[in-house]
């Protein structure tokens, strides 16, 4: 699942962005919907699944381990699961493409099944450390052989029965939490994850919905999430809400391009995912939540975003876990704000698809933005709403969010901005550029 040939793009400023958009299904929820459906006994149906390359990598891996996964002509996905404990030995290596979520969660699944799986990925994913997942899974009894630095390619030899553990997360990571919980699904006894800093809780919500015995309580060290193993999951009908990370690009685009007004429909408003909205509102963004509702256990709303002058803020570090994927586009908003925005507390950005702190600093400076790099974030000198100089060449580093963020920055630049490769955008938002063109008509 290697990326296509590099696809350079030159972005020029354009007039107001207007219209209604429906963003792709939430990526985190889409991954989990496929995995949990594949572990249920019977047929689950999934509507609104994100059909980007990352999620399709998860679908291919679950097929390789025995699940039947079909897409109907109406876009509904049907999954016939094998049951917890029923995963089959894959006959070839599992190619994860660019998807860290697929890799880490599936490592957890394999760890407590009596099978062996080899995980491979593209150049970007192969540079990302997996040690934080290897450590707890090894404590549960899985045997994991990784490339130097705890990287891909790696092999997981699962064990059954695995050993239930109580594991305190050393870093705020929903992926590590989910990997341990998924290993616990097929482990006799109770597996516990202690979470000092809250992270996105889609796994907990959805596992409960599928019938797993899972509790969440507050303890002295943080949230204690307990799952009772050898679970039996029941098939479900899942409606995947719109991805707030994808919605973030349009929130910032509408905020910085004068005269813009965009309505983004059906956005997941899970409180562990709304940090960007909170930060943008602190900066003065005009974002209204319309028709708040609940769909499949997740809060959902439509968002109306209008152009507004932005002011610099010190981004509260406590927001980091609820907007970790949105920092690149927040940095773009800061570039157009009045004053100096300080965004710290985001160490996790160093180990994403690229080092998003260093990559965004280089990208913003290439188009005339003054920045200061910190170990855990950036300080950005804003333009006060004036167009950015632009005119630079930007390296996306095989990172879909860098490519989309810098496309948005180009909408408010005096001179055209050239991005070396926007092909990785297909991993999470295949229709991004068509949507941009439609909003700019």
């Amino acid at each position: 699942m290697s990326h296509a040939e590099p696809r350079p793009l030159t972005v020029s400023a354009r007039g107001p962005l207007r219209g209604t958009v429906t963003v792709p299904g939430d990526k985190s929820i889409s991954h989990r919907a496929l995995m949990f459906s594949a572990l249920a006994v019977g047929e689950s149906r999934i509507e609104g699944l994100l059909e980007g390359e990352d999620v399709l990598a998860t679908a291919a891996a679950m097929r390789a381990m025995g699940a039947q996964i079909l897409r109907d002509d109406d876009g509904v996905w049907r999954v016939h699961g094998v049951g917890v404990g029923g995963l089959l030995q894959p006959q070839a290596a599992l190619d994860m493409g660019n998807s860290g979520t697929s890799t880490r969660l599936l490592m957890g699944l394999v760890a407590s099944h009596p099978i062996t799986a080899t995980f491979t990925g593209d150049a970007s994913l192969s540079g990302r450390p997996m040690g934080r997942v290897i450590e707890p899974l090894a404590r549960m009894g899985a045997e994991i052989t990784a490339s130097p630095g705890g990287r891909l390619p790696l092999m997981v030899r699962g064990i059954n029965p695995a050993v239930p553990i109580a594991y305190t997360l050393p870093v705020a990571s929903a992926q590590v939490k989910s990997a341990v919980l998924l290993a616990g699904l097929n482990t006799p006894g109770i597996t516990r994850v202690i979470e000092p800093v809250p992270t996105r809780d889609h796994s907990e919500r959805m596992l409960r919905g599928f019938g797993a015995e899972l509790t969440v309580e507050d303890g002295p060290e943080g949230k204690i999430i307990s799952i009772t193993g050898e679970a039996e999951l029941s098939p479900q009908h899942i409606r995947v809400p719109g991805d707030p990370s994808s919605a973030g690009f349009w929130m910032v685009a509408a905020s910085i391009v004068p005269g813009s007004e965009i309505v983004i429909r059906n956005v997941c408003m899970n409180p562990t995912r709304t940090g960007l909205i909170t930060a943008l509102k602190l900066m003065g963004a005009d974002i209204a939540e319309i028709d708040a509702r609940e769909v499949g256990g997740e809060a959902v709303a439509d968002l109306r975003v209008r152009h507004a002058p932005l002011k610099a803020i010190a981004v509260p570090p406590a927001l980091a876990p609820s907007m970790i994927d949105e920092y690149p586009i927040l940095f773009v908003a800061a570039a157009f704000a009045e004053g100096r925005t300080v965004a710290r507390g985001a160490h996790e950005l160093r180990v994403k698809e690229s080092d998003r702190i260093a990559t965004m600093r280089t990208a913003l400076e290439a188009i005339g933005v003054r920045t200061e790099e910190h170990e855990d974030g950036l300080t950005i000198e804003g333009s006060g709403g004036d167009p950015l100089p632009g005119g630079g060449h930007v390296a996306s580093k095989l990172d879909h969010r860098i490519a989309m963020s810098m496309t948005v920055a180009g909408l408010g630049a005096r001179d055209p901005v050239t991005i070396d490769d926007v092909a990785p955008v297909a991993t999470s938002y295949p229709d991004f550029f068509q949507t941009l063109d439609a909003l700019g008509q």
Side-chain angles (χ1 to χ4, degrees):
M1 195 176 289
S2 58
H3 280 302
E5 285 296 307
R7 183 182 152 205
L9 179 75
T10 298
V11 185
S12 300
R14 56 184 79 188
L17 302 173
R18 295 180 176 275
T20 299
V21 301
T22 301
V23 293
D26 183 82
K27 188 146 74 95
S28 297
I29 294 173
S30 293
H31 282 300
R32 289 159 173 81
L34 284 170
M35 290 181 197
F36 302 165
S37 297
L39 293 172
V41 177
E43 182 181 278
S44 294
R45 300 175 75 242
I46 308 171
E47 294 180 38
L49 188 84
L50 168 62
E51 296 181 3
E53 291 172 359
D54 282 11
V55 174
L56 297 181
T58 292
M62 298 315 298
R63 282 193 193 101
M65 291 187 285
Q68 288 183 287
I69 302 177
L70 303 167
R71 182 190 187 278
D72 292 339
D73 291 341
D74 59 2
V76 175
W77 289 68
R78 289 184 290 120
V79 182
H80 288 267
V82 295
V84 173
L87 293 181
L88 303 180
Q89 172 68 43
Q91 297 306 303
L94 302 176
D95 183 353
M96 300 288 94
N98 189 240
S99 181
T101 303
S102 304
T103 308
R104 296 188 175 109
L105 270 59
L106 290 172
M107 285 171 64
L109 267 190
V110 170
S112 60
H113 282 74
I115 61 176
T116 299
T118 298
F119 293 85
T120 64
D122 68 9
S124 168
L125 182 61
S126 298
R128 298 173 68 181
M130 298 294 157
R132 59 179 57 175
V133 183
I134 293 171
E135 199 259 325
L137 298 180
R139 281 179 51 185
M140 297 180 78
E143 188 180 320
I144 302 172
T145 308
S147 297
R151 290 174 162 81
L152 268 55
L154 63 74
M155 184 173 71
V156 180
R157 183 174 283 113
I159 187 168
N160 185 258
V163 180
I165 62 170
Y167 187 70
T168 301
L169 293 175
V171 292
S173 171
Q175 292 180 0
V176 178
K177 170 177 68 174
S178 297
V180 176
L181 293 175
L182 291 183
L185 269 179
N186 198 41
T187 299
I190 297 175
T191 298
R192 291 186 173 87
V193 178
I194 297 98
E195 186 178 54
V197 177
T199 65
R200 57 184 67 176
D201 62 355
H202 303 303
S203 291
E204 297 94 304
R205 289 171 184 259
M206 196 178 288
L207 281 168
R208 276 208 207 99
F210 273 86
E213 195 177 320
L214 183 145
T215 61
V216 181
E217 54 194 341
D218 291 320
E221 297 177 61
K223 282 203 181 330
I224 303 168
I225 304 119
S226 305
I227 191 161
T228 301
E230 299 180 307
E232 291 186 15
L233 303 187
S234 304
Q236 301 296 311
H237 183 181
I238 301 164
R239 292 182 179 86
V240 181
D243 194 323
S245 300
S246 297
F249 301 108
W250 308 126
M251 290 183 221
V252 173
S255 297
I256 65 173
V257 177
S260 295
E261 179 171 341
I262 297 175
V263 174
I264 314 164
R265 292 188 44 75
N266 200 42
V267 180
C268 177
M269 297 295 286
N270 180 310
T272 65
R273 298 291 300 283
T274 54
L276 178 67
I277 296 173
T278 302
L280 290 175
K281 285 183 173 179
L282 289 173
M283 296 174 79
D286 182 351
I287 302 173
E289 296 169 29
I290 304 165
D291 189 20
R293 53 204 184 273
E294 187 170 294
V295 176
E298 294 280 1
V300 171
D302 300 337
L303 301 177
R304 189 196 67 222
V305 190
R306 293 170 170 157
H307 171 256
L310 302 179
K311 292 197 179 300
I313 60 168
V315 181
L319 288 179
S322 62
M323 58 182 257
I324 198 68
D325 285 332
E326 289 79 66
Y327 272 93
I329 193 61
L330 177 73
F331 294 156
V332 171
F336 288 88
E338 180 186 329
R340 298 175 81 237
T341 294
V342 181
R344 304 287 300 264
H347 299 86
E348 258 322 82
L349 296 180
R350 296 286 188 188
V351 292
K352 288 291 187 176
E353 281 83 336
S354 67
D355 176 342
R356 287 181 173 162
I357 295 172
T359 305
M360 281 302 294
R361 176 190 179 175
T362 303
L364 289 170
E365 289 184 345
I367 62 170
V369 180
R370 288 170 56 196
T371 71
E372 180 185 349
E373 183 173 334
H374 312 289
E375 181 191 350
D376 59 348
L378 290 176
T379 295
I380 296 170
E381 193 75 50
S383 71
D386 293 335
L388 305 179
H393 286 254
V394 170
S396 69
K397 302 283 189 180
L398 287 179
D399 191 324
H400 55 127
R401 298 202 195 281
I402 303 295
M404 288 185 277
S405 297
M406 294 311 296
T407 298
V408 172
L411 300 177
R414 274 197 300 273
D415 294 323
V417 173
T418 299
I419 301 162
D420 70 338
D421 186 9
V422 298
V425 169
T427 63
S428 67
Y429 201 154
D431 295 332
F432 176 80
F433 294 104
Q434 294 93 311
T435 302
L436 175 58
D437 288 341
L439 289 171
Q441 292 295 324

